[in-house]
């Protein structure tokens, strides 16, 4: 073991002069600290200020480090942020939960003191997250001149209408929870999110916002039980940049009217979640699915796409109809406390497919069906036949341990319709089947549909089969190899 010798004072001084980071240009050191402090922790920042005078000067001279302001900070930190951020836009949080509990006089005194230091900076606020009780004096914050505010998020403890106009001419995104605003003062939005708002806005107010926001990209409305205003403006609302529509727990009658007015040629996702609170209050969701079908069909005029894939998930608690083309997906869902019956789900599906229009319907070549295993999927074949004449491939799956849905589809497509209906074959252009079942299920029913459609001129022969998991009898396997051009087995056991 080598014992180090004594260290001279000169060596100690030279060692202390070696931190090369202090030799970096102040701008570069500031960028390094900014990258390290990307979460915006002032606790870390204040610790770094104490390293040395050089670091303190660099940190205080880098305004990008001081753009997050919470009104729950202590007065000294707030003053430091206002000073060091210089003229940069600020992200501001106002949350009364961080104050002095239920001591309202102390809370008000605290707010007044802080606002006296921050109000002059309100013209620099770029975003504001505002959380307060419904009894608060909201004008203290929302009444400030917020000339450069772009993002506003309001959440109140109880429903309230704040009727004073917002002085925020550059507002782009707004999310409100339990708060209704002076909606006529709001325009040119890119995102509108309204949640649990019993004070409004009315549908007419929403329509006026949409008309005044031609660049809107996202529209989300949840638990807003507005009444349908009379008279109703029937003029369409053109929103060429709208990408997402999400409605949940709202009136079908009211919002289907709104949906029928929206023209959104670039819509990517549409979802509607409805809740039937009781049998007496249950609503007919047909208009919603009809609107969804219109969105799907009108938004797929893609000259480079000759075919599309459609996915249908049918459960008592939900119904999804989704386009799976690798680029966009439009879906609508229905949720119900008591469940939605098969006949209702079939009617909703038909409404959506009818809304596609003939041009788009003729481009759908692949359909995926999935259910929960009670044989419901067999009933969908007739609807597919009525609205999607060009279907060439079916992809069928029940729940992992069920076979009833696959079996029901096989039986439905293995024979023509009744003589009373004209004895026609459903999905006459079908040439490919993809089936997914549990490991214990035998695929022997597949032979029946292959032989039946092979022997009749009213339908094309099945020439491509893919089986996922399950089992297949060796004799059936040998016959299938002789009947089809391509037989693909994935984790299938031959017995």
């Amino acid at each position: 073991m080598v014992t180090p010798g004594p260290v001279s004072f000169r060596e100690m001084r030279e060692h202390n002069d070696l931190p090369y980071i202090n030799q970096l240009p102040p701008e570069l050191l500031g960028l390094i600290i900014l990258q390290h402090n990307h979460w915006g922790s002032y606790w870390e920042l204040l610790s770094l200020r104490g390293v040395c005078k050089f670091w303190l000067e660099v940190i205080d001279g880098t305004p990008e480090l001081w753009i997050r302001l919470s009104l729950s900070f202590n007065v000294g930190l707030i003053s430091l942020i206002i000073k060091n951020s210089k003229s940069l836009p600020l992200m501001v949080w106002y949350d009364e939960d961080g104050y002095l509990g239920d001591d309202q006089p102390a809370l008000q005194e605290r707010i007044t003191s802080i606002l006296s230091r921050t109000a002059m900076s309100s013209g620099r606020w770029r975003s504001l997250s505002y959380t307060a009780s419904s009894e608060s004096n909201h004008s203290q914050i929302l009444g400030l001149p917020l000339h450069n505010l772009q993002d506003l998020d309001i959440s109140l403890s109880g429903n309230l209408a704040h009727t004073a106009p917002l002085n925020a001419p550059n507002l782009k995104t707004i999310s409100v929870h339990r708060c209704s605003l002076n909606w006529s003062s709001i325009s040119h939005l890119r995102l509108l999110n309204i949640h649990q708002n019993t004070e409004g806005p009315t549908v007419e107010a929403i329509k006026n916002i949409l008309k005044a926001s031609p660049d809107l990209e996202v529209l989300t409305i949840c638990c807003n039980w507005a009444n349908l205003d009379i008279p109703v403006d029937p003029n369409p609302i053109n929103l060429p940049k709208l990408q997402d529509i999400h409605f949940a727990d709202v009136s079908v009658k009211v919002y289907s009217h709104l949906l029928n007015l929206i023209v959104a040629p670039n819509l990517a996702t549409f979802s509607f979640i409805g809740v039937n609170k009781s049998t007496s209050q249950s609503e007919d969701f047909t208009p919603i699915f009809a609107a969804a079908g219109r969105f799907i069909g009108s938004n797929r005029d893609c000259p480079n796409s000759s075919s599309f894939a459609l996915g249908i998930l049918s459960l008592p608690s939900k119904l999804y109809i989704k386009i799976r083309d690798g680029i966009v997906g439009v879906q609508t869902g229905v949720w119900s406390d008591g469940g939605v019956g098969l006949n209702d789900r079939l009617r909703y599906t038909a409404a959506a497919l009818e809304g596609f229009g003939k041009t788009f319907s003729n481009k759908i070549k692949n359909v995926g069906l999935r259910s929960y295993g009670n044989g419901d999927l067999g009933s969908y074949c007739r609807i597919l036949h009525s609205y999607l004449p060009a279907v060439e491939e079916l992809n069928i799956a029940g729940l992992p341990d069920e076979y009833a849905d696959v079996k029901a589809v096989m039986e439905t497509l293995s024979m023509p319709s009744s003589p009373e209906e004209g004895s026609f074959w459903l999905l006459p252009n079908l040439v490919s089947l993809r089936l997914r079942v549990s490991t214990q299920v035998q695929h022997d029913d597949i032979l029946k549909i292959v032989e039946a459609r092979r022997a009749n001129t009213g339908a094309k022969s099945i020439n491509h089969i893919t089986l996922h998991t399950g089992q297949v009898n060796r004799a059936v396997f040998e016959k299938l190899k002789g009947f089809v051009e391509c037989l693909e087995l994935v984790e299938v056991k031959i017995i």
Side-chain angles (χ1 to χ4, degrees):
M1 178 176 180
V2 179
T3 303
V7 179
S8 68
F9 176 78
R10 178 182 177 184
E11 289 174 323
M12 293 176 60
R13 183 172 182 178
E14 289 177 350
H15 174 78
N16 290 337
D17 288 341
L18 285 179
Y20 295 111
I21 192 170
N22 280 2
Q23 300 177 26
L24 292 174
E27 298 82 2
L28 183 55
L29 178 59
L31 289 175
I32 293 173
I33 296 175
L34 182 63
Q35 180 66 28
H36 171 75
N37 195 52
H38 62 281
W39 291 111
S41 169
Y42 284 116
W43 182 87
E44 285 188 5
L45 202 61
L46 295 176
S47 298
L48 293 176
R49 289 175 83 243
V51 171
C52 64
K53 181 181 178 181
F54 176 61
W55 281 46
L56 183 147
E57 293 174 347
V58 168
I59 291 172
D60 285 359
T62 306
E64 292 84 0
L65 292 168
W66 302 92
I67 60 174
R68 295 169 178 83
L69 172 63
S70 173
L71 300 187
S72 63
F73 291 161
N74 65 60
V75 173
L77 178 56
I78 289 177
S79 299
L80 195 61
I81 292 171
I82 297 297
K83 173 188 174 183
N84 289 345
S85 60
K86 297 186 176 9
S87 61
L88 290 185
L90 297 172
M91 294 182 286
V92 180
W93 286 265
Y94 177 95
D95 187 352
E96 288 184 358
D97 291 340
Y99 290 109
L100 304 175
D102 296 327
D103 188 348
Q104 288 298 317
L107 171 61
Q108 187 58 48
E109 182 180 352
R110 162 80 171 170
I111 293 173
T112 301
S113 174
I114 290 177
L115 285 178
S116 66
R117 292 170 170 80
T118 60
M120 292 297 293
S121 70
S122 63
R124 292 199 282 131
W125 295 6
R126 185 186 68 187
S127 65
L128 171 61
S129 177
Y130 180 78
T131 303
S133 70
S134 55
E135 293 80 19
S136 298
N137 182 2
H138 307 292
S139 296
Q140 291 183 119
I141 299 295
L142 300 181
L144 290 171
L146 305 171
H147 297 153
N148 289 298
L149 190 69
Q150 297 185 17
D151 307 310
L152 176 61
D153 189 331
I154 302 176
S155 180
L156 302 184
S157 61
N159 286 288
L160 178 78
H162 180 74
T163 58
L166 289 177
N167 189 0
N170 291 302
L171 196 61
K172 300 301 180 186
T173 73
I174 183 167
S175 297
V176 290
H177 177 72
R178 290 185 172 181
C179 179
S180 189
L181 300 172
N182 186 320
W183 301 107
S184 61
S185 66
I186 297 173
S187 62
H188 297 93
L189 296 179
R190 292 186 178 176
L191 180 149
L192 175 61
N193 183 349
I194 301 171
H195 183 265
Q196 201 169 342
N197 194 337
T198 58
E199 297 291 335
T202 65
V203 173
E204 282 300 305
I206 295 174
K207 288 163 59 177
N208 289 334
I209 296 173
L210 300 184
K211 290 178 181 178
S213 303
D215 293 331
L216 190 73
E217 298 174 4
V218 178
L219 174 62
T220 301
I221 301 177
C222 177
C223 306
N224 187 61
W225 289 84
N227 294 321
L228 184 60
D229 304 48
I230 302 296
V232 172
D233 181 1
N235 295 319
I237 305 172
N238 294 304
L239 299 172
K241 296 184 180 180
L242 187 61
Q243 293 284 316
D244 304 288
I245 296 178
H246 305 285
F247 288 167
D249 197 8
V250 295
S251 168
V252 170
K253 178 181 179 181
V254 171
Y255 285 92
S256 61
H257 159 73
L258 180 62
L259 289 172
N260 287 332
L261 298 180
I262 293 176
V263 179
N266 294 300
L267 191 71
T269 60
F270 168 73
S271 66
F272 186 99
I273 301 175
V275 178
N276 290 339
K277 294 178 174 58
S278 68
T279 304
S280 62
Q281 293 180 324
S282 62
E283 292 190 276
D284 180 6
F285 293 94
T286 303
I288 298 298
F289 281 90
R294 179 175 62 84
F295 283 133
I296 294 173
S298 64
N299 300 336
R300 299 298 182 274
D301 187 18
C302 304
N304 297 326
S305 299
S306 59
S307 65
F308 293 88
L310 172 70
I312 298 176
L313 170 63
S314 175
L315 302 175
S317 60
K318 66 185 71 174
L319 173 61
Y320 287 154
I321 299 174
K322 184 175 181 180
I323 292 298
R324 301 170 299 163
D325 58 10
I327 303 173
V328 288
V330 178
Q331 65 184 28
T332 180
V334 171
W335 297 68
S336 173
D337 291 349
V340 178
L342 174 61
N343 290 335
D344 288 335
R345 282 178 276 140
L346 292 173
R347 187 173 73 254
Y348 300 158
T349 303
L353 299 188
E354 185 176 8
F356 285 2
K358 291 185 177 180
T359 301
F360 177 65
S361 295
N362 288 330
K363 289 186 176 184
I364 297 178
K365 305 295 179 67
N366 180 299
V367 175
L369 296 175
R370 186 178 180 186
S371 188
Y372 68 113
N374 68 346
D376 284 355
L377 291 186
S379 303
Y380 282 86
C381 294
R382 189 173 298 275
I383 294 178
L384 297 180
H385 174 84
S386 299
Y387 294 102
L388 306 178
V391 171
E392 298 176 352
E393 179 175 290
L394 282 182
N395 191 329
I396 314 297
L399 291 184
D401 297 327
E402 299 290 346
Y403 183 62
D405 282 307
V406 175
K407 183 178 179 65
V409 172
M410 295 299 97
E411 291 178 348
T412 302
L413 298 179
S414 295
M415 62 185 72
S417 63
S418 64
E420 292 80 9
E421 295 179 307
S423 298
F424 58 86
W425 285 84
L426 298 179
L427 303 179
N429 293 307
L430 186 68
V431 295
S432 176
L433 287 171
R434 296 179 181 271
L435 311 179
R436 183 183 297 272
V437 299
S438 72
T439 57
Q440 303 303 315
V441 170
Q442 291 188 217
H443 286 285
D444 295 353
D445 289 328
I446 190 70
L447 183 60
K448 180 180 179 181
I449 184 176
V450 171
E451 291 180 328
R453 296 177 80 94
R454 178 182 175 86
N456 288 273
T457 58
K460 292 183 178 180
S461 298
I462 304 295
N463 57 39
H464 191 133
I465 295 176
T466 301
L467 307 178
H468 289 264
T469 64
Q471 305 174 7
V472 63
N473 184 278
R474 181 167 294 278
V476 172
F477 171 68
E478 294 298 335
K479 286 186 177 181
L480 288 176
K481 286 199 305 181
F483 288 156
V484 301
E485 297 176 5
C486 179
L487 177 60
E488 183 180 6
L489 306 183
V490 181
E491 299 181 3
V492 176
K493 183 177 180 181
I494 300 176
I495 58 175

